Amino acid sequence: MTLTRIVSKGQGNPATFALLALLFNGASAVASDIEVRGSAVIEQRYFLQDALYEEQSRANFSVYGEAEIYKAFNDGDDSISFKPFYRIDQNDDERTHADIRELVWLHVGDSWEMRTGVGKVFWGQTESLHLVDVINQTDSIEAIDGEDKLGQPMVNLSLIKEWGTTSIFVLPYFRERTFAGVDGRPRFALNVDTDNPIFESSDEENNIDWAARWQHSIGNWEIGLSYFDGTSREPILVPEFNDESAALRPYYPQMQQAGVDILAVMGSWLFKFEGISRSTTAEDYSALVGGFEYTTVGVFDSQFDLGWLMEYQYDGRDNTLLTPSQNDLMLGTRIVYNDIDGTEILMGIVQDLDESNSRSGFIEASSRISDNWKWRLDAWFFSSDTPEEPIYQYRRDDFVQLSMEFYF
Protein backbone atom coordinates (compact mmCIF):
# COMPACT_ATOMS: atom_id res chain seq x y z
CA MET A 1 0.00 0.00 0.00
CA THR A 2 1.46 3.38 -1.02
CA LEU A 3 1.54 6.45 1.19
CA THR A 4 -1.08 8.18 -0.99
CA ARG A 5 -3.52 5.29 -0.56
CA ILE A 6 -2.99 5.30 3.22
CA VAL A 7 -4.03 8.96 3.44
CA SER A 8 -6.91 8.64 0.98
CA LYS A 9 -8.41 5.87 3.11
CA GLY A 10 -8.33 8.16 6.18
CA GLN A 11 -5.76 6.01 7.99
CA GLY A 12 -3.85 8.97 9.44
CA ASN A 13 -4.11 12.56 10.54
CA PRO A 14 -2.06 15.40 8.90
CA ALA A 15 0.73 15.16 11.51
CA THR A 16 1.03 11.42 10.97
CA PHE A 17 1.03 11.96 7.23
CA ALA A 18 3.85 14.50 7.50
CA LEU A 19 5.95 12.10 9.59
CA LEU A 20 5.25 9.16 7.27
CA ALA A 21 6.07 11.28 4.24
CA LEU A 22 9.42 12.25 5.73
CA LEU A 23 10.31 8.62 6.56
CA PHE A 24 9.02 7.29 3.23
CA ASN A 25 10.92 9.80 1.12
CA GLY A 26 14.10 9.38 3.19
CA ALA A 27 14.01 5.59 2.89
CA SER A 28 13.38 5.83 -0.85
CA ALA A 29 16.35 8.18 -1.28
CA VAL A 30 18.65 5.86 0.69
CA ALA A 31 17.46 2.76 -1.16
CA SER A 32 17.93 4.44 -4.53
CA ASP A 33 21.59 5.09 -3.73
CA ILE A 34 22.38 1.49 -2.75
CA GLU A 35 24.09 -0.55 -5.48
CA VAL A 36 23.43 -4.29 -5.46
CA ARG A 37 25.10 -6.79 -7.76
CA GLY A 38 26.28 -10.35 -7.52
CA SER A 39 26.29 -13.81 -9.04
CA ALA A 40 24.81 -17.27 -8.65
CA VAL A 41 26.89 -20.20 -9.90
CA ILE A 42 26.23 -23.86 -10.64
CA GLU A 43 29.29 -26.13 -10.66
CA GLN A 44 29.67 -29.72 -11.81
CA ARG A 45 32.99 -31.40 -11.10
CA TYR A 46 33.91 -34.79 -12.54
CA PHE A 47 36.98 -36.82 -11.51
CA LEU A 48 38.60 -38.88 -14.23
CA GLN A 49 39.70 -41.75 -11.97
CA ASP A 50 38.24 -43.79 -9.15
CA ALA A 51 38.90 -42.29 -5.73
CA LEU A 52 41.63 -43.43 -3.37
CA TYR A 53 39.19 -43.50 -0.43
CA GLU A 54 35.80 -45.18 -0.26
CA GLU A 55 34.04 -42.09 1.15
CA GLN A 56 34.73 -40.13 -2.05
CA SER A 57 32.72 -39.92 -5.28
CA ARG A 58 33.71 -39.40 -8.90
CA ALA A 59 31.15 -36.63 -9.44
CA ASN A 60 30.39 -33.60 -7.30
CA PHE A 61 27.72 -30.92 -7.71
CA SER A 62 27.63 -27.61 -5.87
CA VAL A 63 26.07 -24.17 -6.06
CA TYR A 64 27.20 -20.89 -4.59
CA GLY A 65 26.16 -17.29 -4.54
CA GLU A 66 27.89 -14.06 -3.70
CA ALA A 67 26.67 -10.50 -3.69
CA GLU A 68 28.04 -7.00 -3.29
CA ILE A 69 25.96 -4.31 -1.59
CA TYR A 70 27.56 -0.87 -1.89
CA LYS A 71 26.50 2.45 -0.41
CA ALA A 72 28.39 5.76 -0.78
CA PHE A 73 27.63 8.80 1.36
CA ASN A 74 29.19 12.02 2.70
CA ASP A 75 29.64 13.28 -0.89
CA GLY A 76 31.50 10.10 -1.78
CA ASP A 77 34.13 10.46 0.93
CA ASP A 78 32.66 7.48 2.79
CA SER A 79 31.29 4.16 1.60
CA ILE A 80 30.24 0.78 2.98
CA SER A 81 30.73 -2.42 1.00
CA PHE A 82 29.22 -5.77 2.02
CA LYS A 83 30.11 -9.01 0.18
CA PRO A 84 28.51 -12.17 1.60
CA PHE A 85 29.26 -15.63 0.21
CA TYR A 86 27.54 -19.00 0.59
CA ARG A 87 28.17 -22.42 -0.98
CA ILE A 88 26.21 -25.69 -0.80
CA ASP A 89 28.17 -28.81 -1.74
CA GLN A 90 26.70 -32.20 -2.64
CA ASN A 91 29.22 -34.44 -0.88
CA ASP A 92 31.47 -32.48 1.48
CA ASP A 93 29.87 -30.95 4.57
CA GLU A 94 33.05 -28.95 5.16
CA ARG A 95 32.71 -27.31 1.74
CA THR A 96 29.16 -26.22 2.52
CA HIS A 97 29.99 -22.95 4.22
CA ALA A 98 29.29 -19.24 4.45
CA ASP A 99 31.67 -16.32 4.77
CA ILE A 100 31.71 -12.54 4.86
CA ARG A 101 34.29 -11.81 2.20
CA GLU A 102 34.02 -8.09 2.89
CA LEU A 103 32.18 -5.72 5.22
CA VAL A 104 34.21 -2.53 5.08
CA TRP A 105 33.71 1.11 5.87
CA LEU A 106 36.03 3.17 3.66
CA HIS A 107 36.82 6.83 4.37
CA VAL A 108 38.83 8.77 1.78
CA GLY A 109 40.84 11.85 2.76
CA ASP A 110 42.93 14.21 0.63
CA SER A 111 45.97 11.95 0.62
CA TRP A 112 44.94 9.01 2.79
CA GLU A 113 42.36 6.23 3.09
CA MET A 114 41.07 4.32 6.09
CA ARG A 115 39.39 0.91 5.85
CA THR A 116 37.73 -0.63 8.90
CA GLY A 117 35.90 -3.97 9.11
CA VAL A 118 36.33 -7.27 7.27
CA GLY A 119 38.28 -6.95 4.04
CA LYS A 120 40.33 -8.62 1.33
CA VAL A 121 43.79 -7.47 0.31
CA PHE A 122 45.94 -8.88 -2.48
CA TRP A 123 49.71 -8.50 -2.69
CA GLY A 124 51.78 -9.94 -5.51
CA GLN A 125 52.58 -10.02 -9.20
CA THR A 126 53.36 -13.57 -10.36
CA GLU A 127 50.96 -15.99 -12.03
CA SER A 128 51.76 -19.41 -10.59
CA LEU A 129 52.41 -18.62 -6.92
CA HIS A 130 51.69 -15.74 -4.53
CA LEU A 131 54.37 -15.76 -1.85
CA VAL A 132 53.99 -12.24 -0.45
CA ASP A 133 50.18 -12.42 -0.17
CA VAL A 134 49.80 -13.04 3.58
CA ILE A 135 46.98 -10.82 4.86
CA ASN A 136 43.98 -13.06 4.13
CA GLN A 137 43.62 -16.72 5.00
CA THR A 138 43.28 -19.23 2.13
CA ASP A 139 39.83 -20.75 1.64
CA SER A 140 41.31 -24.01 0.39
CA ILE A 141 38.01 -25.88 -0.01
CA GLU A 142 36.99 -23.48 -2.77
CA ALA A 143 39.74 -24.22 -5.30
CA ILE A 144 43.01 -26.10 -5.36
CA ASP A 145 45.06 -23.13 -6.60
CA GLY A 146 44.71 -21.33 -3.25
CA GLU A 147 43.55 -18.04 -4.77
CA ASP A 148 40.21 -17.91 -2.91
CA LYS A 149 40.50 -16.09 0.43
CA LEU A 150 38.47 -15.64 3.61
CA GLY A 151 37.54 -12.16 4.80
CA GLN A 152 40.01 -10.73 7.33
CA PRO A 153 39.07 -8.39 10.21
CA MET A 154 41.32 -5.34 9.90
CA VAL A 155 42.00 -1.67 10.32
CA ASN A 156 43.96 -0.38 7.33
CA LEU A 157 45.46 3.09 6.91
CA SER A 158 46.94 3.98 3.51
CA LEU A 159 49.01 7.12 2.96
CA ILE A 160 49.07 8.13 -0.71
CA LYS A 161 52.08 10.30 -1.55
CA GLU A 162 54.13 11.16 -4.61
CA TRP A 163 56.87 8.87 -3.36
CA GLY A 164 54.49 5.89 -3.08
CA THR A 165 51.60 4.41 -1.14
CA THR A 166 52.29 3.16 2.37
CA SER A 167 49.69 0.84 3.90
CA ILE A 168 49.61 -0.17 7.56
CA PHE A 169 47.40 -3.01 8.80
CA VAL A 170 46.26 -4.00 12.28
CA LEU A 171 44.71 -7.48 12.21
CA PRO A 172 42.88 -8.18 15.50
CA TYR A 173 41.48 -11.64 14.75
CA PHE A 174 42.88 -14.72 13.01
CA ARG A 175 40.93 -16.89 10.55
CA GLU A 176 41.80 -20.60 10.43
CA ARG A 177 42.38 -22.29 7.08
CA THR A 178 39.58 -24.43 5.68
CA PHE A 179 40.17 -28.06 4.69
CA ALA A 180 38.11 -30.67 2.87
CA GLY A 181 36.27 -33.26 4.97
CA VAL A 182 36.52 -37.03 4.64
CA ASP A 183 33.94 -36.97 1.81
CA GLY A 184 35.73 -34.15 0.00
CA ARG A 185 37.92 -34.55 -3.02
CA PRO A 186 40.77 -33.82 -3.34
CA ARG A 187 41.92 -34.14 0.27
CA PHE A 188 44.79 -35.36 2.42
CA ALA A 189 45.12 -39.04 3.32
CA LEU A 190 44.35 -38.22 6.96
CA ASN A 191 41.45 -36.04 8.05
CA VAL A 192 42.42 -32.52 9.15
CA ASP A 193 40.97 -31.87 12.60
CA THR A 194 39.93 -28.24 12.18
CA ASP A 195 38.00 -28.36 15.48
CA ASN A 196 41.23 -28.67 17.50
CA PRO A 197 43.86 -26.32 16.10
CA ILE A 198 47.10 -25.57 17.94
CA PHE A 199 48.38 -22.00 18.30
CA GLU A 200 51.85 -20.93 19.33
CA SER A 201 50.42 -17.67 20.69
CA SER A 202 48.73 -17.91 24.08
CA ASP A 203 46.11 -15.50 22.70
CA GLU A 204 45.29 -18.08 20.01
CA GLU A 205 43.05 -16.55 17.32
CA ASN A 206 42.92 -13.25 19.25
CA ASN A 207 46.60 -12.53 18.73
CA ILE A 208 46.97 -9.05 17.24
CA ASP A 209 48.93 -9.26 13.98
CA TRP A 210 50.26 -6.32 12.00
CA ALA A 211 51.66 -5.68 8.56
CA ALA A 212 52.94 -2.86 6.37
CA ARG A 213 53.56 -2.41 2.65
CA TRP A 214 55.10 0.29 0.49
CA GLN A 215 54.18 0.33 -3.19
CA HIS A 216 55.32 2.67 -5.95
CA SER A 217 55.48 2.93 -9.74
CA ILE A 218 58.75 4.19 -11.21
CA GLY A 219 58.55 4.43 -14.99
CA ASN A 220 57.80 0.94 -16.26
CA TRP A 221 58.48 -0.63 -12.88
CA GLU A 222 56.08 -1.42 -10.05
CA ILE A 223 57.78 -2.21 -6.75
CA GLY A 224 56.31 -3.45 -3.48
CA LEU A 225 58.09 -3.94 -0.15
CA SER A 226 56.18 -5.62 2.68
CA TYR A 227 56.52 -6.88 6.23
CA PHE A 228 54.23 -9.10 8.31
CA ASP A 229 54.39 -10.06 12.00
CA GLY A 230 51.80 -12.37 13.48
CA THR A 231 50.15 -15.77 13.19
CA SER A 232 51.18 -17.70 10.08
CA ARG A 233 48.34 -18.23 7.62
CA GLU A 234 50.03 -21.47 6.54
CA PRO A 235 49.57 -24.18 9.19
CA ILE A 236 51.92 -27.06 9.89
CA LEU A 237 49.87 -30.28 9.88
CA VAL A 238 50.83 -32.33 12.95
CA PRO A 239 49.92 -36.07 12.94
CA GLU A 240 48.03 -37.23 16.02
CA PHE A 241 47.31 -40.88 16.72
CA ASN A 242 45.12 -42.66 19.24
CA ASP A 243 43.79 -46.20 19.63
CA GLU A 244 40.88 -45.63 17.26
CA SER A 245 41.97 -43.14 14.62
CA ALA A 246 44.63 -40.85 13.22
CA ALA A 247 44.26 -37.22 12.15
CA LEU A 248 46.21 -34.08 11.32
CA ARG A 249 45.99 -31.07 13.65
CA PRO A 250 46.77 -27.63 12.20
CA TYR A 251 49.55 -25.87 14.11
CA TYR A 252 49.78 -22.10 13.58
CA PRO A 253 53.19 -20.69 14.58
CA GLN A 254 54.12 -17.05 14.95
CA MET A 255 55.81 -15.68 11.83
CA GLN A 256 57.83 -12.70 10.65
CA GLN A 257 58.03 -12.23 6.90
CA ALA A 258 59.80 -9.64 4.75
CA GLY A 259 58.77 -9.60 1.10
CA VAL A 260 59.40 -7.89 -2.21
CA ASP A 261 57.33 -8.00 -5.40
CA ILE A 262 58.29 -6.46 -8.74
CA LEU A 263 56.59 -6.01 -12.10
CA ALA A 264 58.43 -4.56 -15.11
CA VAL A 265 56.61 -3.72 -18.35
CA MET A 266 58.89 -3.60 -21.39
CA GLY A 267 56.96 -3.56 -24.63
CA SER A 268 55.43 -6.99 -25.15
CA TRP A 269 57.29 -8.37 -22.14
CA LEU A 270 56.14 -8.57 -18.53
CA PHE A 271 58.81 -9.50 -16.01
CA LYS A 272 57.48 -10.63 -12.61
CA PHE A 273 59.14 -11.48 -9.31
CA GLU A 274 58.19 -12.25 -5.71
CA GLY A 275 60.59 -13.13 -2.93
CA ILE A 276 60.25 -13.62 0.83
CA SER A 277 62.40 -14.26 3.88
CA ARG A 278 60.33 -15.94 6.57
CA SER A 279 61.17 -16.70 10.20
CA THR A 280 59.13 -19.02 12.42
CA THR A 281 59.87 -21.05 15.55
CA ALA A 282 59.77 -24.15 13.36
CA GLU A 283 62.14 -23.01 10.59
CA ASP A 284 63.74 -20.00 8.91
CA TYR A 285 63.81 -20.03 5.13
CA SER A 286 63.61 -18.02 1.93
CA ALA A 287 61.47 -18.57 -1.16
CA LEU A 288 61.06 -16.92 -4.54
CA VAL A 289 59.14 -17.11 -7.78
CA GLY A 290 60.00 -15.19 -10.91
CA GLY A 291 59.67 -15.22 -14.65
CA PHE A 292 58.10 -13.52 -17.63
CA GLU A 293 55.06 -13.29 -19.88
CA TYR A 294 55.51 -12.42 -23.57
CA THR A 295 52.45 -11.51 -25.64
CA THR A 296 52.11 -11.43 -29.41
CA VAL A 297 49.22 -9.11 -30.36
CA GLY A 298 47.22 -10.21 -33.40
CA VAL A 299 49.18 -13.42 -33.95
CA PHE A 300 49.34 -14.40 -37.65
CA ASP A 301 47.39 -11.21 -38.51
CA SER A 302 44.35 -12.52 -36.60
CA GLN A 303 42.30 -10.98 -33.79
CA PHE A 304 43.89 -13.34 -31.26
CA ASP A 305 46.58 -12.41 -28.73
CA LEU A 306 48.94 -15.21 -27.75
CA GLY A 307 50.98 -15.07 -24.58
CA TRP A 308 53.78 -17.32 -23.33
CA LEU A 309 54.54 -17.64 -19.62
CA MET A 310 57.47 -19.10 -17.73
CA GLU A 311 58.11 -18.90 -13.97
CA TYR A 312 60.63 -20.60 -11.72
CA GLN A 313 59.63 -21.52 -8.13
CA TYR A 314 62.08 -22.08 -5.28
CA ASP A 315 61.49 -22.80 -1.59
CA GLY A 316 64.27 -23.41 0.93
CA ARG A 317 62.30 -25.51 3.40
CA ASP A 318 63.72 -28.94 4.23
CA ASN A 319 60.34 -30.69 4.47
CA THR A 320 59.29 -31.28 0.86
CA LEU A 321 55.95 -32.80 1.95
CA LEU A 322 54.77 -29.31 2.93
CA THR A 323 56.37 -27.55 -0.03
CA PRO A 324 54.80 -28.10 -3.46
CA SER A 325 57.07 -25.52 -5.12
CA GLN A 326 60.56 -26.31 -3.85
CA ASN A 327 62.33 -26.42 -7.22
CA ASP A 328 59.72 -26.23 -9.98
CA LEU A 329 59.23 -24.67 -13.39
CA MET A 330 55.89 -23.43 -14.73
CA LEU A 331 55.33 -23.16 -18.49
CA GLY A 332 52.05 -21.81 -19.83
CA THR A 333 50.20 -20.06 -22.61
CA ARG A 334 47.38 -17.52 -22.58
CA ILE A 335 45.03 -17.11 -25.55
CA VAL A 336 42.86 -13.99 -25.66
CA TYR A 337 40.25 -14.06 -28.42
CA ASN A 338 39.42 -10.32 -28.25
CA ASP A 339 35.81 -11.12 -29.12
CA ILE A 340 32.65 -9.53 -27.77
CA ASP A 341 32.23 -12.43 -25.30
CA GLY A 342 35.64 -11.92 -23.69
CA THR A 343 36.81 -15.48 -24.39
CA GLU A 344 40.12 -16.43 -22.78
CA ILE A 345 42.08 -19.66 -22.27
CA LEU A 346 45.02 -20.20 -19.91
CA MET A 347 46.93 -23.48 -19.90
CA GLY A 348 50.01 -24.48 -17.99
CA ILE A 349 52.16 -27.23 -16.56
CA VAL A 350 54.30 -27.17 -13.41
CA GLN A 351 57.24 -29.57 -13.56
CA ASP A 352 59.28 -30.61 -10.52
CA LEU A 353 62.94 -30.26 -11.52
CA ASP A 354 64.09 -32.75 -8.87
CA GLU A 355 61.56 -35.48 -9.66
CA SER A 356 60.99 -35.98 -13.40
CA ASN A 357 57.76 -37.93 -12.81
CA SER A 358 56.19 -35.26 -10.58
CA ARG A 359 54.10 -32.60 -12.32
CA SER A 360 50.71 -30.92 -12.42
CA GLY A 361 48.78 -29.20 -15.18
CA PHE A 362 45.82 -26.86 -15.41
CA ILE A 363 43.37 -25.35 -17.89
CA GLU A 364 41.23 -22.27 -17.26
CA ALA A 365 38.78 -21.10 -19.92
CA SER A 366 35.79 -18.76 -19.84
CA SER A 367 33.45 -16.81 -22.10
CA ARG A 368 30.21 -14.84 -21.85
CA ILE A 369 27.00 -16.33 -23.26
CA SER A 370 24.93 -13.17 -22.82
CA ASP A 371 24.93 -10.02 -20.71
CA ASN A 372 23.99 -12.10 -17.64
CA TRP A 373 25.40 -15.57 -18.31
CA LYS A 374 28.94 -16.88 -18.51
CA TRP A 375 30.49 -20.34 -18.75
CA ARG A 376 33.78 -21.37 -17.17
CA LEU A 377 35.88 -24.51 -17.54
CA ASP A 378 38.59 -25.50 -15.06
CA ALA A 379 40.68 -28.66 -15.17
CA TRP A 380 43.57 -29.95 -13.05
CA PHE A 381 45.85 -32.92 -13.64
CA PHE A 382 48.37 -34.50 -11.28
CA SER A 383 51.16 -37.03 -11.74
CA SER A 384 53.56 -38.41 -9.13
CA ASP A 385 54.76 -41.78 -7.86
CA THR A 386 56.98 -40.37 -5.11
CA PRO A 387 55.23 -40.46 -1.69
CA GLU A 388 57.40 -37.61 -0.39
CA GLU A 389 56.00 -35.23 -3.01
CA PRO A 390 52.95 -33.11 -2.03
CA ILE A 391 50.97 -33.85 -5.20
CA TYR A 392 51.37 -37.61 -4.61
CA GLN A 393 48.27 -37.27 -2.41
CA TYR A 394 46.30 -36.06 -5.48
CA ARG A 395 47.60 -38.65 -7.96
CA ARG A 396 44.08 -40.01 -8.56
CA ASP A 397 42.28 -36.66 -8.40
CA ASP A 398 42.46 -35.35 -11.98
CA PHE A 399 39.22 -33.47 -12.57
CA VAL A 400 37.27 -31.29 -14.97
CA GLN A 401 34.84 -28.68 -13.69
CA LEU A 402 32.17 -26.82 -15.68
CA SER A 403 30.48 -23.76 -14.18
CA MET A 404 27.49 -21.76 -15.33
CA GLU A 405 27.52 -18.26 -13.84
CA PHE A 406 24.58 -15.86 -13.69
CA TYR A 407 25.32 -12.21 -12.94
CA PHE A 408 22.83 -9.64 -11.75
Side-chain angles (χ1 to χ4, degrees), residues 92-162:
D92 188 1
D93 291 340
E94 294 294 330
R95 199 166 184 243
T96 296
H97 70 302
D99 185 45
I100 296 177
R101 298 304 202 204
E102 186 174 294
L103 179 55
V104 170
W105 167 37
L106 167 65
H107 178 76
V108 179
D110 291 337
S111 59
W112 59 278
E113 297 178 352
M114 175 73 79
R115 291 175 173 83
T116 306
V118 178
K120 288 180 67 175
V121 175
F122 174 75
W123 297 348
Q125 299 289 358
T126 54
E127 182 74 36
S128 61
L129 195 62
H130 304 303
L131 293 173
V132 301
D133 190 33
V134 296
I135 294 291
N136 291 84
Q137 178 60 273
T138 300
D139 191 357
S140 65
I141 53 180
E142 279 302 302
I144 199 167
D145 58 11
E147 295 192 354
D148 291 88
K149 301 291 182 175
L150 299 172
Q152 170 63 49
M154 67 175 64
V155 177
N156 166 217
L157 173 64
S158 296
L159 305 176
I160 305 169
K161 304 294 183 180
E162 292 183 358

Side-chain angles (χ1 to χ4, degrees), residues 312-346:
Y312 172 71
Q313 305 170 353
Y314 167 80
D315 194 302
R317 275 177 285 189
D318 295 329
N319 191 342
T320 59
L321 185 61
L322 301 175
T323 314
S325 54
Q326 191 178 42
N327 183 28
D328 295 11
L329 185 67
M330 187 276 285
L331 299 173
T333 183
R334 189 194 313 272
I335 305 172
V336 180
Y337 281 63
N338 290 316
D339 58 351
I340 194 173
D341 296 323
T343 307
E344 292 190 17
I345 301 173
L346 175 65

Side-chain angles (χ1 to χ4, degrees), residues 221-233:
W221 294 76
E222 292 185 13
I223 302 172
L225 301 175
S226 58
Y227 187 81
F228 174 91
D229 189 333
T231 304
S232 174
R233 274 52 181 162

